[in-house]
Structure formats: C-alpha cells, structure tokens
C-alpha cells in the first residue's frame, strides 16, 4: 500500500551489453551495383549491302588491328563500278566534242569579226557569231565539270568496293557475333546498317555502376574501390573512380518509387583474363579515411528529440510539451554507464563504416557505453534507467540452457 500523495512506479531493470569508447581507423564507403564493360568496344558494320561470302572469325577469337574479319559479295558494287566507268568515258568524249565545237565557233567568230570591220558583214551576223562562240565555251567548261564529277563518283565507288573487305580497327577479342556466313546484310552508306560483330579490348575493364543521389556527393575522382564480381567468389578486385556522371538517371518518375541515380565509371586495376563484359558486380568506394579517431559501435548511437526523458515517456510534463518535442530536431545520443544506471548524453558524430561510427565530441576514450540490445537503445532506455550488464558468457549460458531444455 502506498501512503504518499504521489506514488512512483519502480523502474524495471533493463538487460544490456556494453562497449568501451576506443580509437580506431574508420573508412567511409559507398556501395553500388552494376556490370563490367570494356573501356573500348567497337561495333563492326559494313558500308556496303550484300551477301556475306567470308567470315574469318568466331566469337571469342583474338584479332589484331588490320586483320580481315569478313567479306561482302561485291556484285552490286561491281555493277555500279561499270556504270560509272562508262559515264566517265562518255564525259571524256563529250569534252572532245565540246572542244572541237569551241574551235569551230571561234574561227567563225574571228572571220565574221574581220568582215564586220570591213563592212562586208552585218552587225547581226557579228553578234550571232559571238553568241555561238560564248555558248560553245560555256558548254566546254560544263563538260569539264561533268568529267570531274564522274571521276569523283568513280573514286567513291572504288573506295566502297575496297570496303567490301571488313578489317578490325583495333586489337581485341570478338565479344559478339551477330551474323552467319551467307547472310544478307545492310550497309551503312545510306541506312543504319547491320551490326556484324563487336570487338573489344579486354585488357582495360570498367565497372559501370549507378550511385544514389545522396551518396554521389561523397565521391571524388581517383577514390580507391573494391570490386566484387559475382562470378569470382571470395575475390576482391582493386580499382579507382575514373568518371562521375553529371546527368541524372531518373526511374519511376512521378511515383512514390521515384529514384535518382548517377552513373559512375570504376577502372579495374587488377587484370584477369577470365573477366567478361556484362558480368554483375558490386563496388565499394572508399570515400574518406580517418585514422585514430574516437569510435563506438554503430548500433550504440540513437536519436532523441527530447533529451530529458526519451520516447514513450508519457509524464504530465512531456504531454504538455508534446508539440515542442515533435518540432524538435532529433539529436544523436548514447547511453553512458554509471554503475547500474545510464546517463543519456548528446554526442556529435562523423563518418561511419560497416561496424563503427566516429564520435567528434561528447565522449572520452575509455568510457563505457551501452551497445545493445537494439530495442533497449532505441526504445526502452532513458536518462537514469536501471540496467544489468550481460556479457558474452551470460549469453552463451542462456543459449545452452535453452538448447538443453529442448
């Protein structure tokens, strides 16, 4: 029976685990997933259309720059070549005809001019002869231009005929072969053209990943990375940030699932001939490293909007200040052990890694703080809460007793 005016409920003891504030090296990392792509990959197409009469490589073959990869049947080009050669011959003969016409009209003009000077020819005859001479000269110049045009067209067709033989523009490996021998292909002279194959230089490989907009600001060029390729178990490849994209990649626009990412190119510095384009990978970028800094386990830090009590404390004072608490900015805190109770202490934090977070102010090296459980830190504990520390041996004993009971 409680005889006092105000009765206070006994606080229950909360079971926790603790850790000491220690100095560690913390490496902040940004993770992203993507795929492997070669730095140089060339799509091979033919400039001329026709039947593929020779295919000298298979997918996976190693090729050298200048090596013959394929040939297209040149029958269409040969027909065009004969037509253009005939047009060039006709242009030559037209030049000779127009040249003779110029000489003839010139002689007639000169005789008429002499007769007109001696008043043996009329002015009309003189002007007619001059006009015919000028016209012949113009036609001669036109024939020269047509001949030059025919020559240029013939040269172009000859170059196209030479390009029915397709050669490799780089040293590399055939990573994709999209056609078969005897297949009809479309040239790129007037159309998009048929892609015959891809040749890639696999000596220089990149991991192309998409990084979230909140993490992209942490990245810098030349940041060191670790790359895990799904096909290579328990192997980490080294690399560095080569390029950081500036154009956003937005998906699910206008919905709750909208995401904004940026493409990042990671250059692999470890060579392995078994790496293939298209392999899935995960990249961890080391964005910042701080050595010998105060740190605590990541789970030891929580947030409180009301530093006097904690979430879930429905005292009369807290109810009065409920609106103020909701408006307050949550602050990072830890629970420092003092014998069998804890002190709620505000801290300032820095970078973090997978296990620890940097403490820039609010704690001293060697202080004992509550590091678990998650439920205790996030909900149950408040300032001056009573605790009981459970070490690893206690946990093992409980676990063994449960197993034995079963």
């Amino acid at each position: 029976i409680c005889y006092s005016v105000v009765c206070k409920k006994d606080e229950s003891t909360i079971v926790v685990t603790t850790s000491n504030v220690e100095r560690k090296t913390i490496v902040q990392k940004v993770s992203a997933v993507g795929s492997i792509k070669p730095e140089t990959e060339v799509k091979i197409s033919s400039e001329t259309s026709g039947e593929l009469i020779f295919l000298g490589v298979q997918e996976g073959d190693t090729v050298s720059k200048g090596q013959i990869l394929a040939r297209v049947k040149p029958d269409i080009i040969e027909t065009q070549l004969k037509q253009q050669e005939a047009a060039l011959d006709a242009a030559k003969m037209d030049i000779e005809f127009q040249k003779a016409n110029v000489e003839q009209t010139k002689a007639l003009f000169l005789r008429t001019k002499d007769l007109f000077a001696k008043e043996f020819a009329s002015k009309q005859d003189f002007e007619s002869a001059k006009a015919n001479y000028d016209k012949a000269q113009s036609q001669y110049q036109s024939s020269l231009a047509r001949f030059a045009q025919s020559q240029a067209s013939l040269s172009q067709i000859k170059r196209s005929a030479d390009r029915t033989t397709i050669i490799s523009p780089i040293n590399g490996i055939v990573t994709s072969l999209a056609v078969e021998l005897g297949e009809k292909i479309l040239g790129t002279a007037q159309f998009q053209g048929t892609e015959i194959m891809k040749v890639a230089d696999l000596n220089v490989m990149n991991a192309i990943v998409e990084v979230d907009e909140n993490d992209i600001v942490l990245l810098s060029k030349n940041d060191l990375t670790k790359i895990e390729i799904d096909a290579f178990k328990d192997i980490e490849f080294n690399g560095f940030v080569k390029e950081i994209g500036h154009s956003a990649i937005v998906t699910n626009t206008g919905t709750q699932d909208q995401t904004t990412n940026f493409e990042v190119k990671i250059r692999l510095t470890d060579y392995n001939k078994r790496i293939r384009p298209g392999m899935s990978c995960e990249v961890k970028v080391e964005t910042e490293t701080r050595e010998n800094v105060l740190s605590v386990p990541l789970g030891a830090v929580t947030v409180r909007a009301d530093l006097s009590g904690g979430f879930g404390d429905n005292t009369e004072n807290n109810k009065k200040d409920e609106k103020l608490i909701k408006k307050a900015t949550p602050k990072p805190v830890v629970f420092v052990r003092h014998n069998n109770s804890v002190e709620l202490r505000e801290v300032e934090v820095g970078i973090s890694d997978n296990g620890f977070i940097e403490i820039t102010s609010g704690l001293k090296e060697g202080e004992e703080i509550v590091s678990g459980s998650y439920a205790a830190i996030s909900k149950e504990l408040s300032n001056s809460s009573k605790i009981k520390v459970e070490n690893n041996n206690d946990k093992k004993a409980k676990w063994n007793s449960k197993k034995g009971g079963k």
Side-chain angles (χ1 to χ4, degrees), residues 129-332:
K130 185 177 184 304
N132 289 335
Y133 176 52
D134 292 341
K135 181 179 178 182
Q137 284 184 311
S138 297
Q139 290 175 338
Y140 177 65
Q141 294 299 322
S142 296
S143 65
L144 291 176
R146 286 193 295 272
F147 178 74
Q149 184 180 18
S150 296
Q151 279 186 316
S153 297
L154 182 61
S155 298
Q156 182 179 2
I157 294 174
K158 284 182 177 180
R159 284 196 296 269
S160 296
D162 294 337
R163 289 169 183 169
T164 55
T165 298
I166 301 164
I167 62 174
S168 176
I170 61 170
N171 297 324
I173 293 175
V174 179
T175 57
S176 173
L177 188 61
V179 296
E180 298 288 343
L181 185 66
E183 191 172 333
K184 298 283 186 180
I185 61 173
L186 191 64
T188 60
Q190 297 176 341
F191 308 96
Q192 183 178 353
T194 303
E195 181 182 306
I196 299 174
M197 65 185 75
K198 291 180 182 178
V199 176
D201 181 2
L202 302 186
N203 292 317
V204 183
M205 303 292 281
N206 299 312
I208 307 299
V209 298
E210 291 185 7
V211 177
D212 183 81
E213 60 180 325
N214 296 319
D215 293 331
I216 196 69
V217 295
L218 303 175
L219 270 61
S220 300
K221 290 184 69 174
N222 300 318
D223 280 346
L224 298 180
T225 66
K226 297 292 184 181
I227 301 113
E228 296 179 359
I229 301 175
D230 293 352
F232 296 85
K233 302 299 181 183
D234 302 323
I235 299 178
E236 277 191 338
F237 297 90
N238 295 310
F240 64 92
V241 177
K242 179 67 175 176
E243 295 178 11
I244 301 174
H246 287 79
S247 299
I249 303 170
V250 182
T251 57
N252 299 320
T253 305
T255 68
Q256 292 182 345
D257 298 325
Q258 178 174 322
T259 59
T260 302
N261 297 324
F262 291 83
E263 186 175 278
V264 177
K265 179 190 287 187
I266 310 295
R267 174 65 51 81
L268 275 72
T269 53
D270 292 338
Y271 172 74
N272 189 313
K273 64 180 182 180
R274 295 180 296 165
I275 297 177
R276 293 289 181 267
M279 286 183 171
S280 300
C281 65
E282 180 180 2
V283 173
K284 295 179 181 178
V285 184
E286 298 176 1
T287 60
E288 190 172 356
T289 300
R290 294 184 185 173
E291 299 179 351
N292 197 32
V293 295
L294 291 180
S295 63
V296 298
L298 200 57
V301 180
T302 186
V303 291
R304 289 288 191 274
D306 173 26
L307 298 183
S308 63
F311 297 134
D313 188 346
N314 293 321
T315 63
E316 191 171 328
N317 288 334
N318 278 346
K319 287 181 179 179
K320 290 180 180 179
D321 296 335
E322 185 177 356
K323 293 183 179 178
L324 294 175
I325 292 172
K326 287 183 178 179
K327 291 182 180 179
T329 302
K331 299 175 181 179

Side-chain angles (χ1 to χ4, degrees), residues 2 19-20 26 59 68 77 96 100 107 148 200 257 272 276 293 299 377:
C2 179
S19 299
N20 291 327
I26 296 185
E59 189 168 333
I68 297 175
I77 291 294
E96 295 299 324
D257 298 325
N272 189 313
R276 293 289 181 267
V293 295
I377 294 172

Side-chain angles (χ1 to χ4, degrees), residues 331-366:
K331 299 175 181 179
V333 297
V334 297
F335 293 96
V336 182
R337 180 188 179 188
H338 293 296
N339 296 322
N340 293 326
S341 64
V342 294
E343 172 199 349
L344 178 68
R345 189 182 298 178
E346 181 182 354
V347 295
E348 292 183 4
V349 298
I351 66 173
S352 63
D353 57 19
N354 290 333
F356 293 86
I357 185 168
E358 177 190 9
I359 302 296
T360 58
S361 69
L363 289 177
K364 295 180 181 179
E365 185 176 359

